[in-house]
Amino acid sequence: MGRNELLAQLHEAAASPKRQLERYLAEGRKAVAVAPAYTPQEIVHSMGLVPMGVWGADMEISEAKKYYPAFICSIMQTILELGIRGEYKGVSAIIIPSLCDSLKTLGQNWKYAVKDIPFIPMTYPQNRKPDYGVKFTMAGYERVIRDLEAATGARFSKAALKESNRIYNEHNAVMRAFAEIAAEADITAAQRSDVFKSAWFMLPEEHTAVVRELNEELKRGPRAKGDRKVLVTGILADSPNLLRAFDENGIRIAADDVAHESRQYRTDVPNLDDPLEALARKFSAMDNCSLLYDRDKKRIDYIVEQARQHGAKGVIVLMTKFCDPEEFDYVPIKRACDAAGLISLNVEVDRQMVNYEQANTMLQALKEML
Amino acid sequence: MYTLGIDIGSATSKCILLRDGKKIAGSSVVAAGTGTDGPEQALKMVLEAAGADRKDILYVIATGYGRKKFQGADGEMSELSCHARGVHFVFPDVRTVIDIGGQDAKVLALNEKGRMMNFAMNDKCAAGTGRFLEVMAGILKMDISELEREAEKSADPASISSTCTVFAESEVISQLSAGTALPDLVAGICQSVAVRAAALARRVGVREAVCMSGGVAKNAGVRTAMEKELGVKILFSDMAQLMGALGASLYAYDAVRDRETSVQ
């Protein structure tokens, strides 16, 4: 397949998660919804189940307002809204991690609001790096395994997990390669987003095959024009209108620190005898994310360093409205960017936002400055 | 040679007709913004004021929220760049511009050449914008232009939330019920706008000289509150509301010169 066909295939998957779900169900497979930001997808996959990402959708919220106040993350609200409306019908369970306060409330509300899809909690430790933290994570995984077995009838085996860990590591490598290739390739912000978004709705082995082929095509294809390069950071960057503003203003995404995108693929599962411990060790090794506790806030330097390495002249902070972990990090990010001579913009994003005219004005001003 | 800058905002349309890149031949302000016939009216008025004809204009740059919709423009630029350029033309020593318009607030950091080096815009929220003043004036059954005079009489400004227009609205109603004097209430409202914009200014970094532009800058109550909040003198021009259009007309002049240079 050529570049355009591959991108079209990924766009199709990114734009139609329900169709993807129906396809897997029609093949006789069972699917499990996985909520943001990190869940043990390797476990789900190893049990022969299809992990399907649920990150909400750009939509008006009505039903979920019975459970949520107005001032809370709209990603959570729209996940619940879609659950109540029956849009996830067909999945056997949903795994919701405990990585922020909003996610904790999502799990609790889910139990009452969406009774036909069992809620499986994944409780992570705050201190994930010490051995006791790793043991805590493993205990969380064991609970997930028990609940998955009960909800789906599937069985867990360490041998299968070892293979799934390998498949996910392979996917990580291909996605990391894509991010680097896309930084220099002639690809739009929307196409780049499709590649990351589609990963949430395809089996990793299928996605790896398509993206690997795409990487080769992009390497052979034309280079991107212009040097208005930025690093984008935030939880989510998939709004078509927002991405269009990048493209219209000739602002290229040279690298990202987006939870929905590159943050997923930075850390591999180490090769240990016990694959479950290896998976817990992977979580303990993960860093540079607002949702993962780090008293030293190494993420700040990481962002500046990534921006420098990729020749970015600015850092665009896509601030999910009412996301306190991201808001806490914003001030040191801005200070670090100022000190490094990087322009930083704070663009507010929200699942209920359709009009990105203000973001467009900011990006146009950035273009004019550069 | 005439060049035109047209700034089509959410609440008003403004034009500046510039002669030879130096002299302001005419200006107009119409209280009707994007999506109305305000831009056309503003254009007609500025031509009448300058005694010029549409065909005399060599280049038009549109700016403001309606910039992409205006059919008569040769180009468009963001209002941030245009305000920076307009303010630098009037006040070359200004390094910080606080621009508060009908629906948003912006703070721009300029270098000595007037080039914008950094900026910040408000969140998608009416608090700290002209719309906030409009809503508050509506509750008090006052014209927005009367707020300034009333605020001057205050000795003890009331405390009004700068977080949210809806919260502030209920606070104003509570203060009215509690019998707070009107001047103190109005001064509190002006202070609320200043506090919000000052926080934005601190995010960019306040370097003197500081100037306010945009429609809200016309309100001395807000300017005085801003001076107190930031502890610096705020420069102001009668052309505050026209700075974006002025900057656009200057960029239009550059475009003509660039075109002439490329032909030579």
Side-chain angles (χ1 to χ4, degrees):
Chain A
M1 264 195 281
R3 171 191 182 280
N4 291 344
E5 287 80 12
L6 292 163
L7 286 169
Q9 187 183 342
L10 295 170
H11 173 74
E12 181 69 18
S16 322
K18 206 168 177 183
R19 201 174 303 157
Q20 287 293 110
L21 173 64
E22 284 163 0
R23 177 167 78 82
Y24 288 124
L25 294 177
E27 288 171 5
R29 307 190 71 139
K30 287 183 176 173
V32 172
V34 291
Y38 309 112
T39 50
Q41 293 183 52
E42 291 88 342
I43 291 174
V44 178
H45 181 267
S46 74
M47 294 171 74
L49 308 165
V50 182
M52 294 289 290
V54 289
W55 288 71
D58 293 344
M59 63 190 299
E60 276 299 315
I61 300 164
S62 56
E63 298 299 320
K65 284 184 178 165
K66 290 179 199 161
Y67 298 88
Y68 280 124
F71 300 132
I72 196 165
C73 163
S74 59
I75 299 172
M76 302 303 106
Q77 291 197 64
T78 56
I79 292 172
L80 191 65
E81 180 79 18
L82 291 167
I84 296 170
R85 290 191 195 182
E87 292 293 321
Y88 300 139
K89 206 170 174 55
V91 303
S92 301
I94 183 168
I95 303 174
I96 303 173
S98 61
L99 288 165
C100 72
D101 289 346
S102 302
L103 277 164
K104 286 171 194 160
T105 67
L106 175 63
Q108 296 309 312
N109 285 328
W110 188 276
K111 286 192 287 192
Y112 297 97
V114 194
K115 291 197 168 72
D116 57 336
I117 299 177
F119 155 56
I120 299 177
M122 175 56 222
T123 310
Y124 285 110
Q126 182 88 327
N127 296 297
R128 64 193 179 284
K129 291 190 183 290
D131 282 346
Y132 59 79
V134 174
K135 281 182 188 159
F136 191 101
T137 305
M138 281 179 75
Y141 289 164
E142 282 159 2
R143 157 91 192 259
V144 167
I145 291 166
R146 281 197 303 276
D147 286 358
L148 279 173
E149 286 184 336
T152 67
R155 287 288 160 260
F156 173 78
S157 84
K158 287 199 172 177
L161 179 59
K162 201 164 184 105
E163 176 58 9
S164 291
N165 286 348
R166 187 195 63 74
I167 289 168
Y168 271 84
N169 281 354
E170 197 176 13
H171 186 234
N172 288 352
V174 166
M175 293 303 282
R176 289 194 293 261
F178 167 73
E180 295 303 322
I181 294 163
E184 299 303 327
D186 186 15
I187 186 171
T188 67
Q191 287 169 331
R192 186 186 185 281
S193 166
D194 281 340
V195 176
F196 283 104
K197 192 169 181 177
S198 56
W200 290 99
F201 313 130
M202 288 172 75
L203 281 166
E205 52 271 45
E206 290 177 1
H207 198 253
T208 296
V210 179
V211 178
R212 184 175 282 144
E213 207 178 332
L214 177 66
N215 285 348
E216 293 309 312
E217 289 294 323
L218 291 176
K219 278 194 262 182
R220 278 196 291 271
R223 303 288 84 195
K225 294 179 192 75
D227 63 349
R228 294 186 196 119
K229 293 197 278 187
V230 295
L231 178 143
V232 173
T233 177
I235 297 291
L236 197 62
D238 71 344
S239 164
N241 287 344
L242 176 64
L243 295 167
R244 197 172 301 125
F246 279 89
D247 292 330
E248 276 177 12
N249 290 296
I251 308 269
R252 279 170 50 205
I253 300 174
D256 81 81
D257 166 55
V258 174
H260 182 250
E261 301 183 1
S262 286
R263 286 190 211 171
Q264 296 293 327
Y265 307 108
R266 288 174 186 157
T267 313
D268 288 342
V269 184
N271 192 10
L272 302 176
D273 288 342
D274 180 351
L276 198 63
E277 185 193 338
L279 196 58
R281 295 269 169 207
K282 171 196 168 182
F283 182 70
S284 81
M286 285 167 66
D287 266 318
N288 303 318
C289 174
S290 55
L291 301 167
L292 301 175
Y293 174 66
D294 174 15
R295 59 181 287 178
D296 300 324
K297 290 278 177 209
K298 291 185 287 294
R299 175 184 176 222
I300 312 307
D301 290 339
Y302 176 83
I303 287 172
V304 170
E305 190 50 38
Q306 286 294 307
R308 277 190 180 137
Q309 275 179 22
H310 290 87
K313 293 180 174 165
V315 171
I316 313 286
V317 180
L318 298 178
M319 182 61 71
T320 296
K321 202 166 180 170
F322 308 124
C323 176
D324 38 309
E326 287 282 301
E327 284 170 349
F328 285 135
D329 279 4
Y330 173 68
V331 174
I333 290 173
K334 176 166 179 11
R335 284 181 183 152
C337 287
D338 288 350
L342 290 163
I343 298 165
S344 67
L345 296 186
N346 184 347
V347 178
E348 190 181 78
V349 295
D350 186 282
R351 276 300 196 194
Q352 293 177 90
M353 206 181 273
V354 179
N355 185 339
Y356 278 92
E357 188 48 44
Q358 195 183 40
N360 199 330
T361 298
M362 292 169 91
L363 290 170
Q364 184 174 359
L366 176 67
K367 174 184 83 173
E368 289 159 6
M369 278 168 76
L370 295 175
Chain B
M1 176 194 34
Y2 289 117
T3 55
L4 180 86
I6 179 163
D7 179 0
I8 306 164
S10 59
T12 53
S13 302
K14 291 82 68 177
C15 282
I16 287 277
L17 192 64
L18 199 66
R19 186 185 299 142
D20 301 329
K22 289 189 179 76
K23 189 169 167 35
I24 295 168
S27 67
S28 63
V29 178
V30 172
T34 185
T36 70
D37 66 348
E40 287 306 324
Q41 277 188 52
L43 176 59
K44 195 173 159 211
M45 281 169 64
V46 80
L47 289 171
E48 281 171 10
D53 194 87
R54 177 72 180 85
K55 65 178 186 308
D56 299 331
I57 304 171
L58 288 189
Y59 210 91
V60 179
I61 293 271
T63 188
Y65 270 98
R67 67 190 182 279
K68 290 179 198 289
K69 300 261 164 57
F70 186 64
Q71 298 293 320
D74 299 296
E76 49 99 1
M77 288 193 77
S78 74
E79 55 269 39
L80 292 100
S81 298
C82 290
H83 271 265
R85 184 80 188 269
V87 168
H88 183 71
F89 185 80
V90 178
F91 297 118
D93 293 332
V94 162
R95 299 290 174 268
T96 308
V97 181
I98 301 169
D99 164 33
I100 310 181
Q103 70 172 15
D104 59 25
K106 312 164 192 90
V107 178
L108 323 173
L110 312 190
N111 69 7
E112 60 286 354
K113 290 178 182 162
R115 193 167 165 224
M116 186 167 64
M117 302 306 289
N118 197 358
F119 66 87
M121 279 179 90
N122 65 325
D123 299 336
K124 220 170 172 188
C125 172
T129 70
R131 179 71 189 144
F132 177 86
L133 289 177
E134 218 174 273
V135 169
M136 296 305 145
I139 297 166
L140 300 174
K141 304 277 179 223
M142 292 172 73
D143 188 273
I144 195 162
S145 62
E146 295 169 336
L147 294 177
E148 173 182 350
R149 210 169 42 245
E150 206 61 40
E152 276 175 16
K153 299 177 203 161
S154 168
D156 183 19
S159 173
I160 306 289
S161 165
S162 62
T163 309
C164 170
T165 305
V166 180
F167 289 171
E169 190 173 348
S170 70
E171 277 181 34
V172 167
I173 292 165
S174 301
Q175 299 261 17
L176 278 172
S177 320
T180 305
L182 188 63
D184 290 341
L185 204 46
V186 173
I189 288 165
C190 293
Q191 198 171 48
S192 167
V193 172
V195 165
R196 181 95 176 189
L200 201 64
R202 289 193 193 100
R203 205 191 288 179
V204 173
V206 180
R207 283 178 64 209
E208 294 190 74
V210 181
C211 165
M212 275 188 73
S213 67
V216 173
K218 292 193 299 180
N219 183 319
V222 176
R223 293 201 310 272
T224 306
M226 187 72 77
E227 287 186 337
K228 276 189 196 152
E229 191 59 32
L230 291 177
V232 296
K233 185 175 164 48
I234 302 286
L235 296 179
F236 167 72
S237 156
D238 289 339
M239 287 184 56
Q241 199 173 9
L242 287 155
M243 291 299 185
L246 175 59
S249 69
L250 289 161
Y251 278 118
Y253 178 72
D254 288 351
V256 174
R257 285 209 320 183
D258 288 348
R259 198 165 56 186
E260 286 170 354
T261 308
S262 66
V263 169
Q264 286 165 7

